Amino acid sequence: MTPPPATITIMHELPHRWRLNLSLGPDRPDVLIRRVRAHAGVHTIRYTPITRSLVVSFDPEQVSRQEIMMRIAVALSEQRDLVPVYVLTE
């Protein structure tokens, strides 16, 4: 049986900060956080398991929103048997 796709919903957006909700939490939040933080310009990333939310603080002069979202989506997909990941806006 194919697992359901995952979604990342942009809940709140500021020029230097995102709050995202994940429909499926990562199996290893520490790995997801490390992969996203590996890019210059990402200052902090915090995951709250109860709400499955991520708060990402970054410098848009150093890293694009697309790069951050791609890293989150790939890390989540890899941890969930390569399920498709869709990005939604609230």
Side-chain angles (χ1 to χ4, degrees):
M1 184 176 196
T2 304
T7 59
I8 301 171
T9 305
I10 301 169
M11 303 300 289
H12 185 70
E13 192 170 6
L14 293 172
H16 302 289
R17 185 178 168 276
W18 254 348
R19 185 167 51 90
L20 309 170
N21 181 266
L22 309 177
S23 64
L24 300 171
D27 291 332
R28 298 277 316 272
D30 58 317
V31 172
L32 184 143
I33 289 168
R34 242 190 341 268
R35 290 192 61 189
V36 176
R37 290 233 31 228
H39 199 293
V42 176
H43 301 302
T44 60
I45 179 167
R46 185 176 70 246
Y47 176 68
T48 305
I50 291 176
T51 59
R52 292 185 317 273
S53 66
L54 281 173
V55 176
V56 184
S57 173
F58 59 95
D59 180 350
E61 298 292 322
Q62 291 185 300
V63 61
S64 71
R65 292 176 185 276
Q66 292 86 357
E67 178 67 30
I68 294 169
M69 189 60 75
M70 182 62 71
R71 285 176 180 261
I72 293 169
V74 167
L76 184 59
S77 180
E78 287 177 346
Q79 290 187 32
R80 292 297 187 155
D81 298 323
L82 300 177
V83 298
V85 177
Y86 299 100
V87 178
L88 308 173
T89 56
E90 191 176 56

